Structures are given as C-alpha cells and as structure tokens.
Amino acid sequence: MKILALETATEACSAALLIDGNVIERYQVQPRMHSQLILPMLDELLAEAGVTLAGLDAIAFGRGPGAFTGVRIAVGVAQGAAFAADLPVVPVSTLAALAQRGFRELGWRRLLPAYDARMQEVYWGAYEVDAQGLVSARVADEVSAPDRVTLPAGGGWQGVGAGWGSYRDLLDQRLGDAVGEVNADLLCSAHDVALLGAAGFVRGEAVAAELAAPVYLRDKVASRPGESRAG
C-alpha cells in the first residue's frame, strides 16, 4: 500500500509517505508558513521514494478540527493532488492523529487530545488504542468550554496537545484524577495521518477528491458548499 499524507491544522506542517508499512516524513514547526512548505515537502517525499502521484493508492489528509486556514490548506492541497492523479482521498481526524502520535511516541493507550479552539474553548476527543495499535474514538470529537469536557468511565487517561497548555487548570478541575500524565507540547503529525489513513482506506473510507471537506466542529464558522460542520 502507498499512501501520501499531509497535515497542516496546527503549528506543525508535515507530509508523510507510507509504503508497505514504512513511513518517511517531512516535519517543520513553522506557523503561518504551511502554504509555502507543504508542496515542496510532498515533492521531496515522492522523489526520495522514487514514486509518482499516479503510483499511489490514496492521499490522506488531516480534516480538522484545527486552525481554519491550516485545515483549508490541507483540504485544498489534497484535492489538487488527487485530481491530478485521479486518486481517492481519506479524511482523518486531527484529534485522532494527535492521539495516535501520543501512543506511537509515549506508549499511552487511553488518550484525551485537545487543541486550543480560541474563544475560551477546546477541540477535544477521547481515544483508546485497539489490538492493532490504532486509536479508535470512544466519543465523537467535540468543541466546548474546558469545564464541559467529559470522559468515558474509568481512569488511566492521558492528555496530549496544546489545549492542555492553554487550559490545564480548568481541565484538571473538571477531570480530576481521571487524567494522569499530560504532554501539552505534542503536535499533530502526518506520520499518524498516514497510519490512520491507510487503515481507513482498507475499511473503505476513501472518497472522491471532490468530496474532501474540512470539519470545524463549531457552528460559528460559516460552511461553504461541500463542507462538514458538527457541534
């Protein structure tokens, strides 16, 4: 399987190429530079692996939630590349990808990823790692005030993402002992978008390029035709 992945929803801009289980990646933390960085990253990965867009199975992208402009960049670039090579795309939750990185790098298996959504709110989700080493959602991704975040029953949860840095006190007051360790510095990575995108492709979750759409999770953001909203 050959999956090209991109992720631009947070301060990190990254692209990854998964070929038969092996991942190579380009990753830079460069806020407001994503539109200049992402296409050269994709070109470098394809050249390094000696493959073309047409030789891929699909393109995976971080569909949000996250920064409005960043999510739009990921959708637009994924659509453009997919149209050019007649490929399907696989949307991947950026919260799921953040949780996957938490497992991949820290070994945590019950994860509460959170991004700062501004307006005194957080994007958040609750994920557990399955027998295949991939995260699955225990609750749907949401946006809410930190003091309205909830978790499934049971302990052993770990927090990941910048939302924990912005609202640690409020989240601690809300969740108490249900959450143990926290890593507020972890950012979403295309490596994990690629892993989850490959699994989604196998499950039949790939869609035509024209159906690629961001997910904002906030009613205050106006939707355009073809875009998804929740919350």
Side-chain angles (χ1 to χ4, degrees):
M1 184 185 299
K2 299 180 179 65
I3 302 288
L4 183 65
L6 56 138
E7 165 47 39
T8 58
T10 67
E11 292 92 338
C13 178
S14 57
L17 183 61
L18 182 150
I19 299 180
D20 298 331
N22 298 310
V23 178
I24 56 175
E25 183 181 25
R26 297 292 186 274
Y27 179 97
Q28 290 189 48
V29 180
Q30 292 281 356
R32 296 176 295 279
M33 291 289 291
H34 296 3
S35 60
Q36 292 97 318
L37 292 171
I38 190 63
L39 289 176
M41 285 180 173
L42 299 179
D43 289 341
E44 288 176 12
L45 289 173
L46 294 171
E48 180 178 335
V51 298
T52 65
L53 278 175
L56 303 175
D57 292 297
I59 297 174
F61 66 96
R63 61 167 173 77
F68 177 83
T69 300
V71 174
R72 292 293 305 168
I73 290 171
V75 173
V77 172
Q79 282 184 320
F83 276 128
D86 193 24
L87 294 173
V89 297
V90 186
V92 174
S93 162
T94 50
L95 287 167
L98 177 57
Q100 186 68 37
R101 187 176 184 185
F103 168 68
R104 179 170 59 86
E105 295 192 1
L106 304 173
W108 295 346
R109 303 189 70 90
R110 305 188 85 192
L111 299 111
L112 180 68
Y115 297 137
D116 188 346
R118 311 302 179 188
M119 300 172 66
Q120 300 301 304
E121 292 182 324
V122 287
Y123 301 120
W124 62 275
Y127 289 84
E128 286 193 86
V129 179
D130 63 20
Q132 287 71 48
L134 297 172
V135 297
S136 59
R138 287 287 306 275
V139 299
D141 294 348
E142 295 191 29
V143 59
S144 72
D147 61 4
R148 297 183 65 85
V149 172
T150 58
L151 283 178
W157 294 92
Q158 317 291 346
V160 290
W164 284 93
S166 300
Y167 301 106
R168 179 67 184 272
D169 290 344
L170 290 172
L171 289 168
D172 282 347
Q173 290 172 21
R174 172 66 172 174
L175 302 172
D177 295 337
V179 176
E181 293 184 79
V182 168
N183 186 320
D185 297 324
L186 212 62
L187 298 171
C188 195
S189 165
H191 185 131
D192 304 288
V193 174
L195 296 176
L196 295 174
F201 181 79
V202 171
R203 291 193 300 265
E205 297 172 3
V207 298
E210 61 268 23
L211 298 179
V215 173
Y216 298 121
L217 295 180
R218 178 178 278 155
D219 287 335
K220 298 180 182 68
V221 176
S223 287
R224 302 176 187 177
E227 294 185 1
S228 298
R229 259 190 331 187

